[in-house]
Amino acid sequence: MPVAELTISSKTYSSWSLRGWLLCRLAGLEVREKMVEQDNPENRAELLLLTPSVLVPRLTHERASVWDTLAIAEYLHELYPDAGMYPKDRIARAYCRSVSGEIHSGFANLRSALPMNLKVRHERFPIFSGAKPDIERVETIWTECLETYGGPWLFGEKPTVADAMFAPVAQRFLTYAVPLSASSAAYCETINSWDLMREWIDDARREADEVAELDVEF
């Protein structure tokens, strides 16, 4: 039986839940998933982009309660230092932490213009001009990482915390057919074909559509 519990919300819409889940799987920690009720006010606020700070995802493990994605990453790294969640090289590890922190704390225009929805794909989608600098910055980060560390993941041959943090962004770009450079498009496909990502998407597609405000075609 799992020794840990991960509280998450919608697998279709919640980018933060996806990040927390990917981090646990990267660490090799088996968790029991606990879904927040859809009528929970905090959960709805998160899904409708009304607040940047909620207590989902939350990892409960051996009397510890950790509810921020980067805090979850650091907690798991402390427990499982050999899991490879961060690069072994000190410089690469600092870079990984920096880009993970950047996507964690910023990119509000991107989030609001391109909300995560794993059940739809658009052939073309009008992108709010305010989101374009965020998209350009994401591509800059990806290009620097892929060129420096050789890909196919941001820090080389294996996924790290950074890939877990950027996975929802890659899915947003695929959902809304965002025009990308060849290297960025290839990275999105790397994320999309990741066995963990496919598992999450399969679960999302089986999920009931209970959030009426988000069950729309943009």
Side-chain angles (χ1 to χ4, degrees), residues 105-122:
S105 62
F107 301 89
N109 286 334
L110 188 157
R111 298 181 204 281
S112 60
L114 307 174
M116 194 170 90
N117 187 335
L118 296 179
K119 290 186 178 179
V120 299
R121 282 287 185 98
H122 301 276

Side-chain angles (χ1 to χ4, degrees), residues 30-175:
E30 187 177 358
V31 296
R32 178 176 58 251
E33 296 174 16
K34 178 181 178 182
M35 300 296 293
V36 175
E37 295 298 327
Q38 293 292 350
D39 59 359
N40 178 285
E42 282 192 345
N43 181 54
R44 296 181 70 81
E46 176 213 3
L47 297 181
L48 296 174
L49 306 173
L50 299 177
T51 175
S53 178
V54 292
L55 303 182
V56 176
R58 176 193 292 268
L59 175 64
T60 305
H61 175 256
E62 295 182 350
R63 295 183 297 157
S65 182
V66 194
W67 61 87
D68 177 88
T69 49
L70 286 185
I72 290 171
E74 293 297 330
Y75 176 79
L76 292 170
H77 179 60
E78 286 183 7
L79 285 179
Y80 307 105
D82 297 326
M85 297 184 69
Y86 287 102
K88 291 183 178 180
D89 177 75
R90 176 177 61 87
I91 303 302
R93 192 163 59 251
Y95 197 178
C96 182
R97 282 193 167 104
S98 294
V99 298
S100 297
E102 185 173 348
I103 193 63
H104 178 272
S105 62
F107 301 89
N109 286 334
L110 188 157
R111 298 181 204 281
S112 60
L114 307 174
M116 194 170 90
N117 187 335
L118 296 179
K119 290 186 178 179
V120 299
R121 282 287 185 98
H122 301 276
E123 293 185 3
R124 80 171 50 111
F125 186 83
I127 299 174
F128 168 54
S129 61
K132 291 182 179 179
D134 283 358
I135 294 170
E136 292 171 0
R137 176 57 187 156
V138 167
E139 284 211 81
T140 296
I141 292 171
W142 289 359
T143 299
E144 290 175 351
C145 288
L146 294 169
E147 289 182 352
T148 301
Y149 299 103
W153 305 94
L154 293 180
F155 288 87
E157 297 180 355
K158 296 180 179 180
T160 64
V161 168
D163 298 292
M165 295 301 294
F166 278 97
V169 179
Q171 290 300 326
R172 283 176 161 101
F173 288 173
L174 291 171
T175 293

